Each structure stands twice: as structure tokens, then as C-alpha cells.
């Protein structure tokens, strides 16, 4: 949540900040702002409600000549989205400007204290309190900006990634982080900061990831210096970025979401590259290989995740129990962290996260770590906080996912979980060799089958035209297809704002069946597999109540065509890999319905890509 970008060097800061904010907009898009220091040491400060394009219009043709600046795109936590609450915020004396991602939990106490000392606040934000606090400490202690930030942060509880500038020093940026990510880009003779690497990659591949409790002093005179809050000196570790610039562009597609849906044959292949060879009977996840026996000897595996990643976790539960016979529990990270769960030292906790920054998942990891469990991760963003907080893990290698609705990340997560389950099954001998080999061949063929499944796009568009004005929708599936139903419903509601529920098909008669009438579209995964007959009965139950049935069926299934109001055919596969294929039409249906309803597909209202606040 919230995008942060900052620059100091010889280049035009405004251009870098605006370009950076556009790349970061997926993190929050309620309001945007920039503050730069002009050549005569004045702040050039612009901010407004809405998107980065609004900010650009607001700045208009004014000449913005500055070589240092900070920029922010907001996802509102404290105070509504309006011009005043937009970042950057200025100190009371208007000497300092600050941008912030996170939540200052004790802001109210600090605000009262600062108010009693004569500070006046103009916004409703916790961020403004922080910049006033730094100003107060700077004045009281008579110290420079770095020291003032360091001392002020001792008084703060909560999560933050901040960048501060002082208008009397246009050669210096101060940045600090706790529980919200911050990356520093090392240019030839300049420096960049981002809440992720996307605004930096165009200029340099050399980055330093700031760790929790660290403050960076970035100066054109003395370079990058990092200290801990307790003043201990840290030697920065420079890492090389692997992101390609094209991955951050739409590449001719109208939306990032559509591009990402159509990338899936490639991303799934990338995810499997070097990890599986059916010919050789080989399957392995390098990052987790050394932990195989730990997992197999574990009391149980607990999967923690949020949103779409949690749905992938449910598929993982089915796979791991089915193939490797390991007991698995799947938990919402946000519930797990607060419900005083029983965690044993011989538990293995597997965190799944696209961004690798989700606050609840991170907190759940920390809790499980404290209790002595082994923590593994499946992340997409290389170098993300979760990937660094876990003992070991595997990347999904799906490339940057910019659309807020997760698509290619989900199928890549399920692919990694499939590889993990197969690797463990092989090691444990729970699956007969010939069957294991069949499964390996089948998994290798999935990218081609995804290409086939993507050919349903035209059918999905036609069906979307019919149901785009629905107020409600029901998604049903059984077994491995139950998480697909949940994911289909989440996709529809988050980007088209149609209310949708995902249910295990058999549970329908325990309540949701009351909702069914001729107005209700019911999307059912009814592919060939062990529960096929049962799902047919569920479809009949819907039809008997005049519900409209849209079926995802196996190619060539004539019987179901007769029964359904509409059908979308996908290739046949093993039941356990069906979630990867069956989710594709659901992604396309929600995409088209959202576009037809005029919704902002890539940046749906109230949402943000990385949920770094709880
Ligand atoms: O980055 P993560 O995978 O940890 O994010 C978890 C959820 O916030 C995310 O999947 C969210 O539900 C998506 N918007 C779903 O499309």
C-alpha cells in the first residue's frame, strides 16, 4: 500500500518522480503528490486527490526544475482521500517534507503531545504527526536531519517506510524502514528510492534493500551510509535486480490484467524451468530441497496466506495431503496471528505471497518463528521481505504482476505447490512410480493446455455480455475445484463490484440455494473427474430452481452441454492440475464483465496491490 519514490542527483527529479509514481500506482491510487527542493532552496510542493495523471494536470506547464525530490501515491488509512491528506506532508516550519507508507499506531498520543507544544496540524493523517515530531526533535536536540529522524523513530510504534528531505540541504535524503519495504537504487552518481524496485529498474540494477530498524543517510557528498536505530553502523549489501523493463509495460494489451492472463503459458513454464523433467523422472525445488526431510518428519504443515494466495494454499492442502500424505492446515494469516494458535517446534509453516510484503502474512511468520517452527515461503517478488524472513523457499518466477487482481501469480503458486507435493511424494514413496511419472508428464503439458484454455476468451466475452448487469453470482466447485470457485468469486467481486460467493457445490443446499432464482448466474466447475456425477446433481438442483448455469466443462462433454445454459470447454487433465486450467475462464469472465461495466480493471476501487498494513 502506498508507493514511495525519491531521487537525488543531477537528473530532472520531477520526471523521475512522475514516471516512478506511474509505475507504483498499483500500490495505491487515492491521491498523489511530490515535493522537490528548487535551486533557490524552496519547496516545490504539489499534491492532489486522485491518480498520478491528476497530479500531472495539477502541475501543468509550470517549470519544475529540481534535482532532489520525494513522491507518493496513497492508499488511505488515516483520513479520507483528499488533497490535504495526500503526501508529502510538511513540518510546521515548512522546512521538512516527508512521505510515508505504513501506520503510526501511537500517532494520537504523539499528536496531543505535539499540539500541547504549539504544533498545528492541517491533515487527518498519522504521517503529518511524524514530520512534526522530527521537526520538534531536531529543534529540541539541536541535531541534523539524520539524527532527528533516528531519535524521533524511538518514540514511534507501528509500521513505516519513510523518506524525509530538508529544504536547506538539497543534496541529502534520509530514509528509514520498519515492516514496510524500501529499496535504494545506486546510480553512477545519483540515488533512487522506491517502495519496490519498479521505479528504479530503468536507471540502475544495483540496489540495497533496507532492513527493519535501519536508517539510510543518502548524500551526494558522502554516499550511502546505513545505521540501525541504536546507531550501530551497517555495511550495505548491493544486490542485482533481475526485473526486465518490458515486464512493467502493457505490451500492447489494453490492461495489465489481460496481459498477465495471457502470459500464463509462459509464466507457468518459467515456474517449472529446471525443476521438472518427466523424461528423467525428476522433480525438485532447489530452494526447499534441503528441507524435504524436515517437512516429511514434521508434525504437520500450516499454510498461511491472504486473498488469492490463500486460495492457492487450499489447492496446496489438497495436493500435499493427496500425494505426499502430509497433514496440512490452511489459515488466513490475519486470523492465525491473533488467535493464539498452537504451534509446535516440529511444525513447518509455509507462507504464500505474491508481493512478499503482506503485513498479516509477515506477522504470522514472525509469530511462528518465535515458537520455533520452520518457516518456508512461496513468493513472486524476488528479494521481498517475506522471501528474506523465511528459512527457505521457492520463487514462482511469474514476473511482475501489476494488475491488482492476482492472476498469473495464482497459477504459478499452484504450480510450485504441485511441484512441491510431487517432490515430497517421490521422496516419501507415497505415489507409485508409474503414476508419478504420468503426473510429471501431465504437469509438463499444462502450459500448452493453458494456451488452449485461453482460446475460451471469445466465449467468455459473449457470456459476460449476458451477465454483466447481474447483481449477484454464485460459484460452485467440489474437491480441487472448490478453491477455484472461491477464486472465481473473488476475481469477479474485486474488479467488477458484482457480489459473488464461492461455495463447495454440495454446501449449496445448506443455505445458498435460497438465493437461486431466474436472475442468479451460477458458475460451476463440472470437469470430468471423481466428483463429476455429484456436480451434475448440484447443477440439476440449480436448474430446478430456474438458476442460470454457466459450466466450465471438459472438452467434448456433450452431456453437460445439454444441461447448461452456457458452457466453456477446457482441455482434459488430471483432477489435481485442473485448478490451473479451470481458473483461466473465470479470470477472463471477470475481466470482460468489469470492462463492460466501465470499471477500472487494473486499479479497482478501495484496493491496493501489496497490503502492507493490517
Ligand atoms: O501479495 P499477496 O499474495 O500476499 O497478497 C494477498 C492478497 O492481498 C491478494 O491475493 C489479493 O486478494 C488480490 N487482490 C486478489 O486478486
Amino acid at each position: 500500500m502506498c508507493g514511495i519514490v525519491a531521487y537525488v542527483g543531477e537528473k530532472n527529479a520531477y520526471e523521475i518522480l512522475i514516471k516512478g509514481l506511474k509505475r507504483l500506482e498499483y500500490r495505491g491510487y487515492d491521491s498523489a503528490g511530490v515535493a522537490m527542493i528548487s535551486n533557490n532552496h524552496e519547496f516545490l510542493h504539489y499534491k492532489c486527490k486522485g491518480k498520478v495523471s491528476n497530479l500531472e494536470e495539477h502541475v501543468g506547464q509550470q517549470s519544475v526544475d529540481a534535482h532532489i525530490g520525494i513522491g507518493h501515491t496513497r492508499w488511505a488509512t488515516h483520513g479520507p482521500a483528499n488533497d490535504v491528506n495526500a503526501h508529502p506532508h510538511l513540518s510546521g516550519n515548512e522546512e521538512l517534507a516527508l512521505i510515508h507508507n505504513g501506520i503510526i499506531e501511537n500517532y494520537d498520543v504523539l499528536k496531543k503531545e505535539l499540539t500541547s507544544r504549539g504544533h498545528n496540524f492541517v491533515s487527518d493523517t498519522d504521517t503529518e504527526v511524524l514530520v512534526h515530531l522530527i521537526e520538534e526533535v531536531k529543534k529540541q536536540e539541536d541535531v541534523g536531519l539524520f539524527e532527528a529522524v533516528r531519535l524521533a523513530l524511538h518514540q514511534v510504534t507501528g509500521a513505516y517506510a519513510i523518506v524525509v528531505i530538508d529544504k536547506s540541504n538539497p543534496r541529502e535524503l534520509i530514509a528509514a524502514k520498519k515492516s514496510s519495504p524500501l529499496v535504494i537504487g545506486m546510480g553512477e552518481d545519483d540515488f533512487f528510492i522506491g517502495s519496490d524496485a519498479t521505479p528504479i529498474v530503468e536507471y540502475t540494477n544495483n540496489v540495497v534493500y533496507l532492513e527493519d530498524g535501519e536508517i539510510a543517510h543518502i548524500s551526494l557528498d558522502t554516499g550511502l551510509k546505513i545505521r540501525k536505530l541504536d546507531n550501530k553502523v551497517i555495511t550495505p549489501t548491493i544486490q542485482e535486480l533481475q526485473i526486465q523493463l518490458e515486464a512493467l509495460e502493457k505490451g500492447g494489451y489494453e490492461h495489465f490484467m489481460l496481459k498477465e492472463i495471457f502470459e500464463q503459458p509462459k509464466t507457468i513454464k518459467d515456474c517449472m524451468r529446471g525443476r521438472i523433467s518427466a523424461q528423467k523422472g525428476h522433480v525438485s525445488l532447489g530452494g526447499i530441497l534441503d528441507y524435504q526431510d524436515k517437512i516429511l518428519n514434521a508434525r504437520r504443515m500450516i499454510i498461511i496466506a491472504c486473498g488469492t494466495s490463500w486460495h492457492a494454499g487450499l489447492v496446496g492442502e489438497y495436493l500435499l495431503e493427496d500425494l505426499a500424505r502430509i497433514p496440512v492446515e490452511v489459515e488466513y494469516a490475519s486470523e492465525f496471528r491473533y488467535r493464539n494458535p498452537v504451534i509446535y517446534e516440529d511444525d513447518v509453516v509455509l507462507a504464500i505471497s505474491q508481493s512478499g510484503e503482506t503485513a498479516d502474512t509477515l506477522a504470522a511468520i514472525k509469530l511462528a518463528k518465535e515458537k520455533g517452527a520452520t518457516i518456508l515461503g512461496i513468493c513472486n517478488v524476488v528479494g521481498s521481505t517475506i522471501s528474506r524472513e523465511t528459512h527457505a523457499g521457492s520463487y514462482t518466477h511469474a514476473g511482475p504482476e501489476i494488475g491488482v487482481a492476482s492472476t498469473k501469480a495464482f497459477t504459478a503458486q499452484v504450480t510450485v505447490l504441485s511441484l512441491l507435493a510431487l517432490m515430497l511424494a517421490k521422496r516419501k514413496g507415497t505415489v507409485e512410480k508409474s503414476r508419478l511419472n504420468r503426473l510429471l508428464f501431465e504437469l509438463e503439458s499444462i502450459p500448452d493446455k493453458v494456451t488452449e484454455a485461453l482460446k475460451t476468451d471469445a466465449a467468455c466475452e459473449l457470456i459476460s455480455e449476458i451477465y454483466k448487469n447481474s447483481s449477484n453470482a454464485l460459484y460452485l466447485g467440489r474437491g480441487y475445484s472448490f478453491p477455484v470457485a472461491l477464486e472465481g468469486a473473488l476475481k469477479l467481486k474485486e474488479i467488477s463490484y458484482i457480489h459473488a460467493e464461492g461455495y463447495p457445490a454440495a454446501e449449496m443446499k445448506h443455505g445458498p440455494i435460497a438465493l437461486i432464482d431466474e436472475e442468479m448466474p451460477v458458475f460451476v466447475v463440472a470437469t470430468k473427474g471423481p466428483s463429476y456425477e455429484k456436480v451434475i446433481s448440484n447443477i440439476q438442483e440449480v436448474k430446478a430452481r430456474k438458476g442460470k448455469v454457466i459450466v466450465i466443462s471438459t472438452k467434448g462433454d456433450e452431456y453437460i452441454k445439454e444441461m447448461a445454459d452456457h458452457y466453456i470447454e477446457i482441455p482434459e487433465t488430471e483432477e489435481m492440475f485442473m485448478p490451473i486450467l479451470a481458473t483461466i475462464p473465470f479470470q477472463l469472465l471477470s475481466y470482460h464483465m468489469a470492462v463492460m461495466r466501465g470499471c477500472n480493471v487494473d486499479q479497482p476501487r478501495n484496493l491496493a496491490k501489496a497490503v502492507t498494513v493490517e
Side-chain angles (χ1 to χ4, degrees):
M1 339 232 75
C2 299
I4 280 181
V5 58
Y7 175 75
V8 62
E10 293 304 317
K11 299 185 178 74
N12 181 311
Y14 179 66
E15 281 168 20
I16 291 169
L17 297 181
I18 289 291
K19 209 180 238 186
L21 288 180
K22 284 185 177 162
R23 292 217 193 283
L24 287 168
E25 207 165 21
Y26 71 97
R27 299 179 69 95
Y29 31 84
D30 292 341
S31 57
V34 289
M36 294 151 290
I37 305 173
S38 71
N39 296 334
N40 54 352
H41 290 219
E42 286 304 323
F43 272 138
L44 301 166
H45 185 208
Y46 307 96
K47 54 185 196 168
C48 63
K49 182 179 172 186
K51 307 223 160 227
V52 179
S53 53
N54 295 35
L55 176 66
E56 273 186 296
E57 269 172 39
H58 175 62
V59 175
Q61 297 310 311
Q62 300 174 64
S63 115
V64 189
D65 189 17
H67 304 283
I68 177 168
I70 56 180
H72 188 268
T73 174
R74 179 170 185 245
W75 186 85
T77 56
H78 290 71
N82 57 30
D83 296 355
V84 178
N85 289 335
H87 299 211
H89 288 280
L90 301 186
S91 55
N93 60 9
E94 302 198 347
E95 294 286 328
L96 311 178
L98 178 144
I99 47 176
H100 167 222
N101 175 18
I103 292 182
I104 307 302
E105 283 165 9
N106 59 338
Y107 85 101
D108 207 24
V109 179
L110 294 170
K111 192 171 187 173
K112 284 192 182 115
E113 168 67 20
L114 289 163
T115 306
S116 72
R117 288 168 181 261
H119 287 258
N120 291 317
F121 295 92
V122 291
S123 79
D124 310 311
T125 64
D126 49 340
T127 305
E128 194 188 7
V129 176
L130 187 51
V131 69
H132 278 248
L133 177 67
I134 295 168
E135 172 195 354
E136 181 67 20
V137 172
K138 192 167 180 291
K139 191 174 86 190
Q140 293 299 331
E141 303 293 326
D142 192 19
V143 290
L145 183 58
F146 177 86
E147 190 58 6
V149 172
R150 191 181 76 81
L151 294 173
L153 290 177
H154 279 280
Q155 299 184 41
V156 164
T157 54
Y160 53 79
I162 57 167
V163 188
V164 199
I165 50 175
D166 179 338
K167 76 177 181 190
S168 68
N169 188 353
R171 298 178 65 78
E172 170 189 88
L173 298 166
I174 307 295
K177 135 171 177 79
K178 186 183 162 209
S179 303
S180 290
L182 217 48
V183 191
I184 300 167
M186 313 287 288
E188 295 258 301
D189 43 18
D190 50 4
F191 297 91
F192 305 80
I193 300 178
S195 39
D196 61 42
T198 53
I200 297 175
V201 63
E202 196 160 342
Y203 309 99
T204 177
N205 279 330
N206 296 325
V207 296
V208 173
Y209 290 95
L210 218 56
E211 297 290 345
D212 273 358
E214 290 182 354
I215 315 178
H217 183 195
I218 297 166
S219 157
L220 292 180
D221 304 316
T222 54
L224 168 65
K225 304 252 186 305
I226 300 180
R227 285 175 186 264
K228 295 291 271 185
L229 274 184
D230 63 7
N231 229 354
K232 189 172 150 229
V233 176
I234 300 292
T235 310
T237 312
I238 299 180
Q239 300 188 30
E240 203 176 323
L241 285 177
Q242 304 296 340
I243 309 173
Q244 303 300 316
L245 202 54
E246 311 82 74
L248 305 174
E249 313 281 351
K250 284 190 198 148
Y253 285 89
E254 205 180 325
H255 297 100
F256 279 110
M257 182 181 177
L258 192 61
K259 175 190 174 217
E260 288 157 8
I261 291 173
F262 275 89
E263 273 175 352
Q264 289 174 106
K266 177 177 179 306
T267 51
I268 295 169
K269 219 179 244 170
D270 289 346
C271 176
M272 292 199 281
R273 181 159 297 124
R275 293 170 165 176
I276 178 170
S277 163
Q279 267 313 334
K280 296 181 184 154
H282 161 82
V283 56
S284 109
L285 284 169
I288 295 181
L289 202 59
D290 291 346
Y291 283 77
Q292 279 194 100
D293 292 333
K294 190 125 209 169
I295 301 173
L296 293 175
N297 295 324
R299 184 186 291 250
R300 62 190 168 161
M301 184 181 269
I302 306 171
I303 296 180
I304 48 172
C306 303
T308 288
S309 298
W310 184 80
H311 296 155
L314 286 180
V315 180
E317 176 185 26
Y318 287 46
L319 281 160
L320 288 158
E321 295 204 340
D322 190 359
L323 291 174
R325 310 304 299 152
I326 299 168
V328 179
E329 288 169 25
V330 188
E331 298 255 12
Y332 282 117
S334 52
E335 288 298 314
F336 181 78
R337 64 179 289 197
Y338 284 121
R339 68 166 182 74
N340 193 15
V342 177
I343 307 167
Y344 300 104
E345 285 186 0
D346 55 354
D347 281 336
V348 169
V349 171
L350 175 65
I352 306 177
S353 173
Q354 187 286 129
S355 62
E357 304 294 348
T358 301
D360 284 321
T361 311
L362 255 170
I365 287 173
K366 285 183 183 155
L367 173 71
K369 236 185 191 177
E370 275 163 27
K371 305 273 181 194
T374 300
I375 320 290
L376 305 177
I378 296 177
C379 291
N380 191 37
V381 177
V382 176
S384 55
T385 311
I386 291 177
S387 70
R388 287 178 287 129
E389 282 289 326
T390 44
H391 294 120
S394 284
Y395 284 116
T396 45
H397 297 305
E401 191 178 64
I402 310 287
V404 164
S406 196
T407 51
K408 61 175 181 173
F410 174 76
T411 48
Q413 287 164 346
V414 175
T415 304
V416 171
L417 289 160
S418 305
L419 292 166
L420 177 65
L422 288 164
M423 173 177 92
L424 294 170
K426 184 178 172 202
R427 175 84 170 186
K428 196 171 172 184
T430 39
V431 174
E432 208 185 300
K433 200 164 172 232
S434 57
R435 176 155 186 256
L436 189 84
N437 258 33
R438 268 203 320 278
L439 293 175
L440 294 182
F441 274 107
E442 188 55 31
L443 186 56
E444 274 188 337
S445 75
I446 287 294
D448 291 339
K449 292 188 176 181
V450 170
T451 304
E452 278 297 301
L454 284 166
K455 292 183 183 154
T456 62
D457 187 36
C460 290
E461 198 170 349
L462 282 175
I463 295 170
S464 299
E465 189 61 51
I466 300 167
Y467 295 104
K468 64 172 191 251
N469 293 322
S470 304
S471 311
N472 298 290
L474 204 54
Y475 283 73
L476 302 177
R478 287 180 94 117
Y480 280 95
S481 294
F482 161 52
V484 178
L486 292 177
E487 176 59 9
L490 175 61
K491 282 298 83 93
L492 187 70
K493 63 189 145 196
E494 76 175 320
I495 60 166
S496 73
Y497 320 141
I498 296 173
H499 169 239
E501 300 265 2
Y503 255 89
E507 276 292 305
M508 182 184 60
K509 56 184 157 307
H510 298 286
I513 200 164
L515 295 168
I516 291 172
D517 59 18
E518 56 275 17
E519 299 295 318
M520 176 70 103
V522 183
F523 297 88
V524 190
V525 184
T527 48
K528 288 279 174 63
S531 6
Y532 178 71
E533 305 295 339
K534 303 277 177 207
V535 178
I536 298 283
S537 310
N538 300 134
I539 292 174
Q540 299 290 12
E541 288 158 10
V542 175
K543 293 295 303 170
R545 283 148 189 98
K546 301 196 170 56
K548 298 283 179 291
V549 177
I550 304 102
V551 165
I552 311 293
S553 62
T554 308
K555 202 167 190 155
D557 183 347
E558 298 301 323
Y559 177 66
I560 212 150
K561 279 186 194 172
E562 297 294 314
M563 199 180 302
D565 293 280
H566 310 278
Y567 63 88
I568 300 166
E569 293 185 311
I570 57 172
E572 191 162 7
T573 185
E574 286 282 342
E575 194 207 11
M576 66 187 65
F577 305 136
M578 192 46 90
I580 302 178
L581 301 186
T583 205
I584 305 284
F586 283 166
Q587 294 171 349
L588 290 165
L589 285 164
S590 47
Y591 171 78
H592 288 299
M593 280 197 242
V595 170
M596 287 167 191
R597 288 164 68 92
C599 300
N600 187 338
V601 172
D602 284 334
Q603 294 169 350
R605 69 183 180 208
N606 305 335
L607 285 169
K609 185 69 185 164
V611 185
T612 54
V613 294
E614 61 170 293

